[in-house]
Amino acid sequence: MADVIVVGSGVIGLTTAVVLAESGRRVRVWSREPAATTTSSVAGALWWPYRIEPEALVGDWALATLRVYEELAAEPGETGVRLVAGVHRGERFAGLGPWARQLRAAAEVADGLRATLPLLDMPAHLGWLERRLAAAGGTVERRSASSFEEAAAEAPAVVNCTGLGARDLVPDAGVRPVRGQLTVVENPGIDEWFTEADPASSATTYFFPQPWGLVLGGTAEVDDRRTEPDARTAEEIVARCARIRPEIAGARIIGHRVGLRPSRDAGVRIEAGPMPGGGRLVHNYGHGGAGVTVAWGCAREAARLVG
């Protein structure tokens, strides 16, 4: 028996499950795939509110999450969280929300905003979340849900953290994929991250140093469901990054990754209501390109709604 079933084991689902379990609830996570194969595992993953709405709420969720990551960065080998310096080219405080003024290690420089921010090794972090959940008494089950009523038959509360799957399971036609393609190369000695994003373009430029390689990106292709890497796109990604750091051009390619960000036209949905057959359903999905950035803030809000 469980008090809560969380459907979905990406970073949103696992973080929500941890918050619930550590509050004393008996938690089971249902997932049709291992956390290591979810979209979350492909993420870059730099803390930054990117492609996520509603703007009025995102700041608080993001800052709450930032404070957690700052603590977790004390044990990077265990948690997968490090604090790394870098530059957001073209960014200025005036173009960001009030949350940006609360960044402790950020300053405007000639070409943008320089900051020291959490950078997550997602495979390591997802594994750490699973271990933390197990330590709190929670479990992860490889199980698909054909409906939320199926989960409600086994627990009085269900939390929907299905990401892109919410399009069919809720159903919510406003949930749309935003395709992101990455290239991983052997790191030629780069120890800082870099980003440059044009909201009007599907092409972005960034690189993130990870323990296992340098992640190059990327794309933001709305309504594109292709999960196989595109060779020409990969070449363009390397070329854009090499214009910033020429040594990237000669770096050996390790591999390519594709993830479908779970965007939602109306922004993140965190709300609760009763189910027809009894039980309480809490939604926590639609985080777009910033699930990592708001994971703890949204998890705490969802846990509060479980009641």
Side-chain angles (χ1 to χ4, degrees):
M1 186 59 183
D3 298 317
V4 187
I5 290 177
V6 176
V7 184
S9 68
V11 68
I12 295 296
L14 287 177
T15 306
T16 301
V18 166
V19 171
L20 288 164
E22 292 183 348
S23 71
R25 296 175 176 89
R26 295 170 295 176
V27 180
R28 292 160 58 192
V29 176
W30 286 9
S31 177
R32 65 184 180 186
E33 57 188 353
T37 62
T38 62
T39 297
S40 295
S41 69
V42 181
L46 181 73
W47 179 96
W48 193 256
Y50 173 68
R51 298 185 73 95
I52 184 171
E53 299 285 347
E55 185 176 337
L57 300 175
V58 166
D60 287 343
W61 294 335
L63 289 172
T65 305
L66 174 63
R67 302 308 174 222
V68 174
Y69 290 153
E70 288 174 336
E71 295 177 2
L72 297 181
E75 297 183 277
E78 177 68 16
T79 66
V81 183
R82 295 172 295 134
L83 294 178
V84 180
V87 173
H88 285 300
R89 176 175 284 182
E91 291 284 11
R92 286 288 184 261
F93 283 119
L96 302 171
W99 57 268
R101 293 289 179 181
Q102 297 189 46
L103 298 180
R104 295 168 179 166
E108 291 185 356
V109 292
D111 60 346
L113 189 68
R114 182 170 180 81
T116 298
L117 300 172
L119 180 63
L120 281 67
D121 173 354
M122 287 310 294
H125 186 65
L126 292 170
W128 174 81
L129 283 171
E130 288 188 317
R131 294 192 297 276
R132 182 163 169 172
L133 175 61
T139 61
V140 178
E141 305 169 20
R142 299 291 167 252
R143 178 171 176 177
S144 297
S146 59
S147 69
F148 295 121
E149 286 74 16
E150 179 183 344
E154 300 189 29
V158 177
V159 184
N160 167 26
C161 299
T162 56
L164 197 58
R167 179 178 177 88
D168 297 321
L169 199 56
V170 173
D172 185 341
V175 175
R176 306 163 66 188
V178 178
R179 182 178 182 273
Q181 180 169 326
L182 312 174
T183 295
V184 183
V185 301
E186 287 186 346
N187 193 335
I190 294 171
D191 59 7
E192 294 196 349
W193 53 264
F194 172 91
T195 77
E196 184 174 23
D198 177 359
S201 172
S202 63
T204 57
T205 302
Y206 57 81
F207 45 82
F208 303 138
Q210 293 287 4
W212 32 265
L214 185 66
V215 177
L216 313 179
T219 66
E221 300 162 295
V222 180
D223 290 328
D224 189 335
R225 292 181 172 272
R226 293 176 298 147
T227 57
E228 291 298 318
D230 178 83
R232 181 175 179 179
T233 298
E235 292 174 0
E236 293 170 348
I237 288 172
V238 173
R240 288 199 303 273
C241 292
R243 283 196 286 271
I244 309 302
R245 293 293 295 263
E247 61 267 44
I248 289 175
R252 186 176 74 88
I253 293 177
I254 298 174
H256 305 278
R257 300 181 176 188
V258 174
L260 303 181
R261 304 178 184 93
S263 181
R264 182 170 182 263
D265 293 342
V268 177
R269 184 183 184 188
I270 304 183
E271 61 184 40
M275 284 190 283
R280 187 169 182 80
L281 176 61
V282 176
H283 294 290
N284 184 10
Y285 69 91
H287 302 85
V292 168
T293 299
V294 299
W296 287 89
C298 289
R300 291 169 178 170
E301 178 65 12
R304 184 186 66 79
L305 292 176
V306 168

